[in-house]
């Protein structure tokens, strides 16, 4: 796919991916063709039972999304502070592109719910990797809105959960490297 022109080698791609702060992202974000390629790649994840237990919602109208967050927050907290409302508006407007990833567990499937939820998490990770391969930076966030019944109802269907808000764009500055675990602390061998 032409959208992945930043790819040097798979190992380099994976070893260099890191999250950028959504509030620091600038244009350009992915155009329609690039976003489609990123979402096609994001859908190519392990999916026991071929259930596609996730959905992608591209937020095109950020003002309407800001209004949704405002009304949902006011319903939860009837007397919000000005700074809280400003933070919600800023959240809705940051980064050039926003994709909300929903988890939709099929309760009648023989596939355990945990495996379905893991597939949704893998879809976000694949989305972030695909965005990086296409030359963009991504940020997976949650926060209060991910657990708001009003926000979930507006974006999804009954039974859905928001796995994350994935912001995509171009980096405005060099990304900071964060401490990574020593392999000895997270890898063991058995027996």
């Amino acid at each position: 796919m032409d959208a992945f022109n930043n790819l040097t080698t798979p190992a380099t791609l994976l070893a260099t991916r890191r999250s950028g702060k959504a509030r620091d992202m600038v244009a350009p974000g992915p155009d329609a063709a690039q976003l489609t390629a990123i979402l096609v790649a994001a859908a190519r994840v392990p999916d026991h039972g071929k259930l596609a237990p996730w959905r992608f919602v591209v937020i095109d109208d950020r003002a309407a999304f800001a209004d949704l967050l405002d009304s949902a927050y006011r319903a939860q907290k009837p007397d919000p502070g000005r700074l809280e409302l400003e933070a919600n508006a800023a959240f809705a407007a940051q980064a050039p592109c926003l994709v909300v990833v929903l988890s939709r567990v099929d309760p009648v499937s023989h596939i355990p719910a945990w495996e379905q939820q893991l597939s949704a998490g893998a879809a976000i990770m694949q989305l972030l990797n695909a965005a990086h391969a296409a030359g963009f930076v991504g940020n997976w966030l949650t926060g209060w809105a991910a657990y708001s019944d009003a926000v979930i109802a507006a974006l999804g269907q009954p039974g859905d959960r928001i796995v994350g808000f994935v912001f995509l764009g171009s980096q405005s500055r060099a990304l900071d490297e964060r401490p990574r675990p020593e392999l000895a602390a997270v890898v063991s061998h058995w027996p």
Side-chain angles (χ1 to χ4, degrees), residues 47-100:
D47 176 10
H48 188 184
K50 300 178 191 76
L51 300 173
W54 26 259
R55 299 291 181 273
F56 305 115
V57 179
V58 179
I59 304 297
D60 292 321
D61 187 338
R62 296 299 191 85
F65 184 60
D67 290 343
L68 169 61
L69 294 182
D70 186 73
S71 64
Y73 195 76
R74 288 176 189 270
Q76 270 182 226
K77 188 173 181 183
D79 190 22
R82 178 183 55 82
L83 293 178
E84 295 166 286
L85 296 176
E86 288 174 1
N88 290 335
F91 182 86
Q94 62 191 355
C97 180
L98 171 57
V99 178
V100 182

Side-chain angles (χ1 to χ4, degrees), residues 87-115:
N88 290 335
F91 182 86
Q94 62 191 355
C97 180
L98 171 57
V99 178
V100 182
V101 181
L102 301 169
S103 173
R104 182 174 301 166
V105 171
D106 182 344
V108 298
S109 173
H110 70 284
I111 308 301
W114 175 240
E115 291 185 27

Side-chain angles (χ1 to χ4, degrees), residues 80-170:
R82 178 183 55 82
L83 293 178
E84 295 166 286
L85 296 176
E86 288 174 1
N88 290 335
F91 182 86
Q94 62 191 355
C97 180
L98 171 57
V99 178
V100 182
V101 181
L102 301 169
S103 173
R104 182 174 301 166
V105 171
D106 182 344
V108 298
S109 173
H110 70 284
I111 308 301
W114 175 240
E115 291 185 27
Q116 295 180 55
Q117 292 164 336
L118 288 171
S119 183
I124 288 186
M125 192 66 245
Q126 187 79 338
L127 193 158
L128 291 169
N129 284 332
H132 177 57
F136 299 103
V137 65
N139 193 196
W140 172 0
L141 298 175
T142 53
W144 73 268
Y147 304 98
S148 164
D149 291 338
V151 175
I152 295 167
L155 299 177
Q157 297 177 6
D160 283 353
R161 296 179 72 182
I162 294 175
V163 183
F165 300 95
V166 180
F167 294 90
L168 303 173
S170 296

